[in-house]
Amino acid sequence: QVQLVESGGGLVQAGGSLRLSCAPSGTIFSGYTMGWHRQAPGKQRELVAAISSGGTTNYADSVKGRFTISRDNAKNTVDLQMNSLKPEDTAVYYCAAMNIYGPRTWGNAFWGQGTQVTVSS
């Protein structure tokens, strides 16, 4: 069974911090590009941050400088440290592992069930 389980979401005041964790199971994800996406009500799901198997990262402009994605291949986990949170960061956050087979897009990925992040003002 291949699963991605997110944790760490919750309610936080603007300016606060949260750390999300993604714990893949069923396979070793050290060779996968991993990413965090989010979807707010009425909006499209968007890529927040991604990290390649080699450690290269990229971020959405809206979170650059505030969020940090990291991976610990030994623990088979991927984290998203979120600082200086804003109300517009409120969304369901999803962990994803890009499939190493087939197209190298997020349309070809394994997805977690999501964790809610709510930032109050």
Side-chain angles (χ1 to χ4, degrees), residues 6-91:
E6 304 98 334
S7 63
L11 175 64
V12 65
Q13 293 184 358
S17 298
L18 285 173
R19 182 169 60 248
L20 307 183
S21 183
C22 176
S25 64
T27 189
I28 303 298
F29 283 89
S30 60
Y32 292 73
T33 294
M34 304 292 295
W36 285 95
H37 297 68
R38 68 186 181 188
Q39 187 166 25
K43 296 184 178 180
Q44 297 284 319
R45 185 174 298 188
E46 64 173 343
L47 174 67
V48 175
I51 183 167
S52 74
S53 61
T56 300
T57 60
N58 67 278
Y59 299 90
D61 288 341
S62 60
V63 307
K64 191 172 296 184
R66 300 188 297 120
F67 291 9
T68 302
I69 188 171
S70 61
R71 68 193 304 160
D72 188 332
N73 289 334
K75 297 180 179 179
N76 204 36
T77 59
V78 179
D79 290 349
L80 183 69
Q81 178 66 46
M82 305 185 295
N83 298 326
S84 302
L85 283 162
K86 305 174 181 179
E88 52 262 43
D89 295 319
T90 295

Side-chain angles (χ1 to χ4, degrees), residues 99-121:
N99 200 332
I100 62 174
Y101 304 108
R104 301 294 292 161
T105 71
W106 293 110
N108 181 29
F110 305 99
W111 294 86
Q113 64 183 1
T115 185
Q116 177 71 48
V117 171
T118 303
V119 184
S120 63
S121 60

